[in-house]
Amino acid sequence: MYRVKQLDTTVNLAGFSRWLNGQGVTHRITEEGGFQVLWLEDPAHAEPVLSALDRFMAEPEIREAVDRQNRSPVFVGGRWQPSPRHAPLVLGIIVFAVAMVWLTAMGQNELAASLMVIDPRDYDWSTMAGRIEALTATLASGQVWRLLTPDFLHFSWTHIIFNSVMLWFLGSQIEWFDGRARLVTLFVMTSLISNGLQYFVSGPLFGGLSGVVYGILGYCWLSQRSAPRFQFPPALVTFAVAWMVIGFTPLPEMIGLGRMANEAHLGGFVAGLALAVVLPVKGRRGA
């Protein structure tokens, strides 16, 4: 353990300690010579933890948010553990996506083609001009749903399982704290931007909820900085961004993972960050 902060015993750190537990930060608080001492297992956490502690002590609304989170029925032992009734919209999205994996034979049948941005059998999409022309014709025919439905195309069970787990973990928190309207806005906007960017770069042969997941992660990370309410380990963002960068290298194909929808990941993440800026939180549920 690394000693990182000494405070007066009059400071109540119980709520902050529960919040750290929820963030996955291993720590300990001891008493020495009339003072409280905060210890961390990982010294890399020192800077963000001290910054969070300063805000916790200086801003009453932060302490209220943490206390509200600790009293919330969807937190058990300081950890986010929602039931289906706490996030029915997210659950519905996941169930529909899993059903599409089965109905599209993992993206291999004719139904899969109807979920892509354009039907790849009907157009020459080998050039940018061809992609623009194909998309224009597709939208003009009324097939607007194709801008969103690539989200429900998955090409392996690992693909859908990973996306579902991440969507449930983060999306359920947005649905609970920020409301379903905010979640729908995030889903639609990140889908449009991630799917659009991926289509124009590589064509219609892609799919998955990864762009939405990256968008939700970006939103949670940036929005959390001004209004703490979400629970996720700090390393999650670092890992996700590192994996996105790796996706732009030949490494995933070299190790047998195939080509990743890198532009969808990037587009979704940037869209999520932008939405965190333009959609500040006004009111939150917490109990």
Side-chain angles (χ1 to χ4, degrees), residues 91-264:
L91 181 61
I93 292 171
I94 293 171
V95 169
F96 185 72
V98 172
M100 285 299 103
V101 172
W102 176 64
L103 292 173
T104 63
M106 291 191 179
Q108 301 302 313
N109 60 21
E110 291 189 9
L111 178 59
S114 70
L115 300 181
M116 296 178 183
V117 174
I118 64 167
D119 192 323
R121 303 166 298 182
D122 294 342
Y123 302 97
D124 176 12
W125 46 270
S126 59
T127 64
M128 178 62 74
R131 291 169 198 161
I132 293 174
E133 182 179 351
L135 181 59
T136 301
T138 297
L139 296 179
S141 70
Q143 301 179 64
V144 181
W145 70 81
R146 289 181 178 271
L147 297 175
L148 301 179
T149 50
D151 295 345
F152 301 102
L153 271 176
H154 291 83
F155 307 105
S156 70
W157 284 112
T158 55
H159 192 199
I160 181 62
I161 289 172
F162 177 80
N163 282 340
S164 296
V165 169
M166 291 300 297
L167 182 61
W168 175 252
F169 179 57
L170 294 174
S172 60
Q173 296 189 59
I174 294 175
E175 184 171 353
W176 177 258
F177 287 109
D178 294 359
R180 287 172 197 150
R182 176 64 55 90
L183 179 63
V184 169
T185 301
L186 278 165
F187 186 92
V188 171
M189 296 305 298
T190 56
S191 293
L192 291 175
I193 294 173
S194 62
N195 291 338
L197 183 59
Q198 187 67 51
Y199 170 73
F200 285 121
V201 170
S202 66
L205 303 181
F206 69 92
L209 284 161
S210 301
V212 172
V213 167
Y214 265 94
I216 284 175
L217 178 62
Y219 170 84
C220 287
W221 175 73
L222 189 55
S223 183
Q224 174 87 339
R225 298 175 73 85
S226 59
R229 61 208 183 278
F230 302 129
Q231 182 185 101
F232 54 89
L236 180 60
V237 177
T238 303
F239 172 80
V241 172
W243 183 246
M244 180 169 57
V245 172
I246 290 172
F248 283 95
T249 72
L251 182 60
E253 292 184 84
M254 290 172 58
I255 62 178
L257 296 178
R259 189 178 185 281
M260 295 167 58
N262 304 307
E263 288 76 19

Side-chain angles (χ1 to χ4, degrees), residues 259-280:
R259 189 178 185 281
M260 295 167 58
N262 304 307
E263 288 76 19
H265 298 168
L266 177 60
F269 190 66
V270 172
L273 295 175
L275 288 167
V277 174
V278 301
L279 297 175

